[in-house]
Amino acid sequence: LAKPKTLSVSAIKTGTVIDHIAVGQALKIVRLLQFDRDERRVTIGLNLQSKSMGLKDLIKIEDVLLSEEQACHIAIFSPQATVNLIENFKIVRKFCVALPPAIYGVLSCANPRCITCTESIATLFQVEAGSERVWLRCHHCEHIFSLEGENTY
Ligand SMILES: [Zn+2]
């Protein structure tokens, strides 16, 4: 039996490859970064073979070089992800994502009675790394929740 190819998505000329994403998190990251809302070409690989992780997800975004601030948002879903910036088919920069101390304006509070859910107030969460998951504490209602397995944004 032939082994499945480790990389089943084609190379890009210019753009960003987010690699080593924990399985099941790629779609959440694409939605969080709102790459599903514009006309950029985004390739998503789910459950790809990985030497270090067993299985992983991967995202390629053409013609976008991700900033470190955007990369911070990825860490909330997958702290071990790596970001590769590509120009002319070559990796020009590679960095790990870092958990931000706080995240502003991009996620929704899991508490339906939170003022940010009923009024148009930007959300703000303190980010706390637990041993197995990332916890978010709402600045407005103090509600603490994790994004694991939830679609709260
Ligand atoms: Zn809240």
Side-chain angles (χ1 to χ4, degrees), residues 109-111 114-116 125 138-143 145:
C109 185
N111 171 12
C114 180
I115 191 166
T116 61
F125 302 99
C138 179
H139 174 74
H140 297 280
C141 72
E142 300 275 304
H143 186 71
F145 61 102

Side-chain angles (χ1 to χ4, degrees), residues 34-52:
Q34 304 198 341
F35 289 135
D36 57 335
R37 295 200 195 160
D38 56 31
E39 293 179 351
R40 280 183 246 277
R41 198 179 316 176
V42 178
T43 309
I44 302 169
L46 302 177
N47 302 314
L48 303 179
Q49 300 274 322
S50 162
K51 276 179 197 159
S52 57

Side-chain angles (χ1 to χ4, degrees), residues 79-134:
Q80 75 278 47
T82 51
V83 176
N84 303 277
L85 304 183
I86 294 168
E87 284 179 289
N88 271 321
F89 299 104
K90 282 184 189 149
I91 296 172
V92 292
R93 216 180 139 216
K94 184 170 188 155
F95 56 92
C96 295
V97 298
L99 215 54
I103 185 160
Y104 176 76
V106 287
L107 297 163
S108 303
C109 185
N111 171 12
R113 279 178 291 176
C114 180
I115 191 166
T116 61
C117 296
T118 54
E119 293 178 31
S120 59
I121 295 171
T123 57
L124 175 64
F125 302 99
Q126 261 81 56
V127 179
E128 291 163 28
S131 56
E132 283 175 20
R133 51 177 67 185
V134 173

Side-chain angles (χ1 to χ4, degrees), residues 68-76 78-79 81 83 95-101 127:
E68 290 207 28
E69 193 196 352
Q70 288 173 305
C72 275
H73 294 169
I74 295 167
I76 290 168
S78 187
V83 176
F95 56 92
C96 295
V97 298
L99 215 54
V127 179

